[in-house]
Amino acid sequence: MKNLDRYLSNLMIGNIKLHNLHWNVTGLTFKAVHEYLEALYDDSFEKLDEVAELQKQLGLPVLASAKEYLENTDIQELGYKEYTPVEAIKFAKEYVEHMRDLALTIRKEAEQEDCFVLTNLMEDHVTGYDKHIWFLNNMLK
């Protein structure tokens, strides 16, 4: 399940990306965006743990080093700079949408392999991503 390794790697690198935005957002709505980004990276880390534990339950190896995560991710890291609230929200939304699409791909693959526990987990993740996308879209209005 190569996409599952990519998903796990994206969760870890995405968590770092969200932390970067959380630490470096500035501007009039700093507090609200800062706190929302914290909720996003907490959610990302929870998903990371769920996926890794499921991989272990399924007898699959779990990537566990920064080197492996960087080799398997398709998430672009951000460098250090200050980000406006709008920039931070747009980067976060891009990440969440990307993860939603990947979760849907994995769900379809898991369904084809009759791996219902993974199918259900990805459905739960997609539901969470959909809610975050709704919040982020409304923050950008």
Side-chain angles (χ1 to χ4, degrees), residues 1-109:
M1 293 190 191
K2 184 68 175 164
N3 279 319
L4 202 51
D5 284 343
R6 183 163 49 113
Y7 189 74
L8 186 75
S9 297
N10 285 359
L11 286 167
M12 181 57 84
I13 300 304
N15 191 283
I16 293 167
K17 185 176 192 169
L18 293 169
H19 270 86
N20 182 349
L21 295 168
H22 166 81
W23 291 324
N24 293 304
V25 66
T26 61
L28 186 61
T29 58
F30 160 79
K31 187 173 185 325
V33 175
H34 178 80
E35 289 173 356
Y36 187 73
L37 290 166
E38 183 175 353
L40 280 177
Y41 70 65
D42 285 346
D43 182 64
S44 180
F45 193 77
E46 186 177 316
K47 285 176 170 61
L48 174 86
D49 191 53
E50 289 174 341
V51 171
E53 288 179 357
L54 180 58
Q55 284 179 294
K56 294 300 288 182
Q57 290 172 13
L58 296 173
L60 300 170
V62 178
L63 303 178
S65 73
K67 181 178 186 278
E68 291 172 317
Y69 293 135
L70 288 169
E71 289 171 352
N72 285 280
T73 191
D74 60 3
I75 297 294
Q76 291 289 86
E77 293 184 284
L78 296 173
Y80 167 77
K81 76 173 209 111
E82 289 185 350
Y83 295 93
T84 68
V86 170
E87 287 174 321
I89 293 165
K90 284 182 178 179
F91 280 125
K93 181 176 177 263
E94 178 183 284
Y95 165 71
V96 172
E97 289 173 336
H98 181 75
M99 293 305 291
R100 180 189 183 279
D101 291 346
L102 184 53
L104 284 170
T105 298
I106 294 167
R107 187 187 74 61
K108 182 184 275 188
E109 293 169 353

